[in-house]
Amino acid sequence: MASSKSFSLEGRALKLNTAEDIAPHIKDLITNGDVEEIRLNGNTLGIGACEALAEALKGKKNLKVAELADIFTGRLREEIPHSLTVLGNALLTCPNLHTVNLSDNAFGLLTEEPLVNFLSQHGPLQHLVLTNNGLGPFCGTSVANSLSKLAKLKDTQPDKYPPLETIICGRNRLENGSMEGWARAFQANNKVKTVKMVQNGIRPEGISILIRDGLSNCKQLETLDLQDNTFTLAGSKALASAVVRWEKLTELGVGDCLLGAKGGIIVAEALGTGKNKWLKILRLQYNEMDIKGVRALKSSIEGAVPKLEKLELNGNKFSEEDEVVQLLKELFRDRGVGALDELDDMEEETEEEVEEEEEVEEEKEDVVKRTKEAEEAKVAPEKDKTLDELADLLEKKATI
């Protein structure tokens, strides 16, 4: 124990199965009424040990932070629900507990009930960290719904319960299936400041729902990290529409999100509207952005993003030797702050891709010409056909 306010067994790799096993390790915790932080991550706790720990935690009125990541390694999945239930019930009696980290615990469907019960009832909660818990879309929806219920509880006693500020739920296979639930959760908890939902297998439709119907309502947002999900053009449009509403944003992470060439331009131009003057970190690596997107981005940064300190563009489709790259470096150098990441894994467009783009442009011009001719001739069936062809070609071009 580092001090009377902090209790830690962190990283000791203890295997504590029973109440007797854990007793000598928590004797100081039992008698400590001043403890503000407990750190138990990196040990494995059985049912008996969790029951004894729960008794030690009950009524700790000064407890503020509970680090409970990776505490069930090697446990049978049938053990975890009861263990989580007793711990959750104990934490509900801690009136000032605002931060809970339950990452790296294999929850899934069996632990849905105890997890939801705690999250929906713990009014003091401000910062929640759930990363790598194997939630999946079904349990992910339940977690999101519990946070919507929590928001209602907070609304009943706003002087007692502060708003939720941090939601970190990454590497949980949330997928498209849970995005309507998460959108509702962010509508309800619209004072959130930090959201991190990386690597969740969310595809364009789900990303659009999450941003358009949920995150766009969060005008206090300061940090948003959605890296390693799939945006394409649809998600990029949703992001561009929402980012202008996040005037307090300091960090935006959409790297490895497949914005694409056109999506990259749309997002870059949105940043040029002057609504994100506090943005300091911008992660756009591995997005298939081309040189047009980088030029648009440089223009936006120069005119509307004065505080940018870190720009990540590695892994996109342009040459590090292009003039605009040098201009970006000079811009940061002239400001005396800020840096572009090392462009050591660039994906330059091949001649075949350039030729394909040119062919699409030619075909589009031809379809536009035929559309105009059809309109002039007032031949409805042919007009419908050529309009459909134009739409198909525009969609094809947007994905290049």
Side-chain angles (χ1 to χ4, degrees):
M1 188 168 61
S3 72
S4 63
K5 294 186 177 182
S6 177
F7 176 85
S8 179
L9 297 176
E10 183 175 9
R12 292 176 59 178
L14 299 171
K15 187 175 183 180
L16 307 172
N17 299 319
T18 66
E20 290 75 19
D21 291 337
I22 201 172
H25 298 284
I26 62 172
K27 60 182 180 180
D28 290 330
L29 176 62
I30 293 172
T31 59
N32 186 354
D34 298 323
V35 66
E36 296 182 0
E37 178 183 34
I38 58 167
R39 307 185 69 87
L40 302 175
N41 37 315
N43 300 285
T44 177
L45 310 181
I47 291 176
C50 285
E51 290 174 339
L53 176 61
E55 286 298 318
L57 291 174
K58 281 182 180 178
K60 295 292 186 187
K61 63 179 182 180
N62 293 314
L63 185 63
K64 298 177 181 178
V65 178
E67 290 286 344
L68 301 173
D70 190 20
I71 61 171
F72 296 126
T73 297
R75 297 294 163 183
L76 297 175
R77 63 177 187 169
E78 292 79 9
E79 291 182 79
I80 301 176
H82 180 73
S83 295
L84 189 60
T85 297
V86 296
L87 289 175
N89 289 340
L91 295 177
L92 286 173
T93 69
C94 302
N96 292 298
L97 177 64
H98 57 62
T99 300
V100 177
N101 183 358
L102 289 165
S103 298
D104 300 317
N105 292 306
F107 288 158
L109 293 177
L110 287 177
T111 58
E112 177 191 1
E113 184 176 348
L115 186 60
V116 165
N117 285 344
F118 172 72
L119 294 177
S120 62
Q121 296 182 63
H122 191 59
L125 187 66
Q126 290 180 269
H127 310 284
L128 173 65
V129 186
L130 282 172
T131 295
N132 190 33
N133 297 107
L135 296 181
F138 184 85
C139 194
T141 298
S142 296
V143 169
N145 291 341
S146 71
L147 296 179
S148 295
K149 292 179 181 178
L150 177 64
K152 292 181 180 179
L153 174 62
K154 288 176 177 290
D155 287 342
T156 63
Q157 301 184 67
D159 295 334
K160 181 179 180 181
Y161 297 139
L164 196 61
E165 292 187 12
T166 302
I167 298 177
I168 299 175
C169 191
R171 297 175 62 197
N172 269 308
R173 297 184 293 104
L174 298 179
E175 302 175 357
N176 283 7
S178 68
M179 287 303 103
E180 289 186 0
W182 280 101
R184 290 191 297 269
F186 287 117
Q187 286 176 17
N189 295 280
N190 58 19
K191 292 182 175 62
V192 70
K193 296 180 179 179
T194 297
V195 175
K196 297 183 179 183
M197 300 179 70
V198 304
Q199 200 175 344
N200 271 308
I202 311 170
R203 298 193 61 78
E205 181 182 359
I207 284 290
S208 298
I209 292 171
L210 175 67
I211 296 175
R212 182 189 65 233
D213 300 338
L215 291 170
S216 65
N217 298 284
C218 303
K219 295 184 180 181
Q220 307 299 314
L221 199 61
E222 296 176 3
T223 298
L224 177 61
D225 194 345
L226 295 174
Q227 293 184 96
D228 202 4
N229 292 291
T230 306
F231 279 55
T232 67
L233 184 59
S236 299
K237 287 180 177 179
L239 177 61
S241 296
V243 75
V244 296
R245 307 184 70 179
W246 302 327
E247 296 190 17
K248 296 184 179 181
L249 195 67
T250 61
E251 179 175 349
L252 177 61
V254 286
D256 202 10
C257 287
L258 195 61
L259 301 184
K262 190 169 183 180
I265 293 173
I266 291 172
V267 172
E269 290 178 345
L271 293 173
T273 60
K275 301 295 185 179
N276 305 108
K277 295 181 179 180
W278 298 100
L279 189 63
K280 293 183 178 180
I281 299 173
L282 180 56
R283 306 184 192 279
L284 289 166
Q285 66 274 29
Y286 298 98
N287 269 315
E288 296 195 1
M289 288 178 63
D290 63 13
I291 196 61
K292 295 178 182 177
V294 180
R295 288 170 183 156
L297 186 62
K298 185 261 179 186
S299 177
S300 293
I301 292 172
E302 186 173 32
V305 192
K307 296 186 181 296
L308 193 66
E309 296 177 359
K310 187 172 186 179
L311 174 62
E312 295 184 357
L313 287 173
N314 194 27
N316 282 295
K317 283 189 169 183
F318 60 91
S319 171
E320 62 180 308
E321 303 300 326
D322 194 275
E323 181 184 13
V324 72
V325 175
Q326 304 308 314
L327 292 175
L328 274 169
K329 292 179 179 179
E330 290 175 9
L331 173 61
F332 287 130
R333 189 161 52 245
D334 291 343
R335 286 181 176 180
V337 64
L340 179 64
D341 64 335
E342 192 170 342
L343 305 179
D344 58 0
D345 192 23
M346 304 306 292
E347 183 182 351
E348 294 188 39
E349 284 189 309
T350 64
E351 291 183 8
E352 290 80 4
E353 288 173 323
V354 173
E355 289 174 1
E356 184 177 351
E357 287 182 11
E358 291 174 350
E359 288 174 4
V360 170
E361 285 293 333
E362 290 173 0
E363 289 178 31
K364 186 182 78 172
E365 290 175 2
D366 183 56
V367 172
V368 170
K369 181 179 178 181
R370 286 190 285 121
T371 300
K372 185 177 180 181
E373 291 173 351
E375 288 176 343
E376 292 174 350
K378 295 183 180 180
V379 182
E382 182 65 22
K383 175 183 176 182
D384 290 342
K385 180 181 177 182
T386 52
L387 285 173
D388 288 342
E389 290 176 356
L390 177 59
D392 290 341
L393 282 167
L394 287 172
E395 182 177 357
K396 179 180 178 183
K397 185 176 187 299
T399 58
I400 293 177

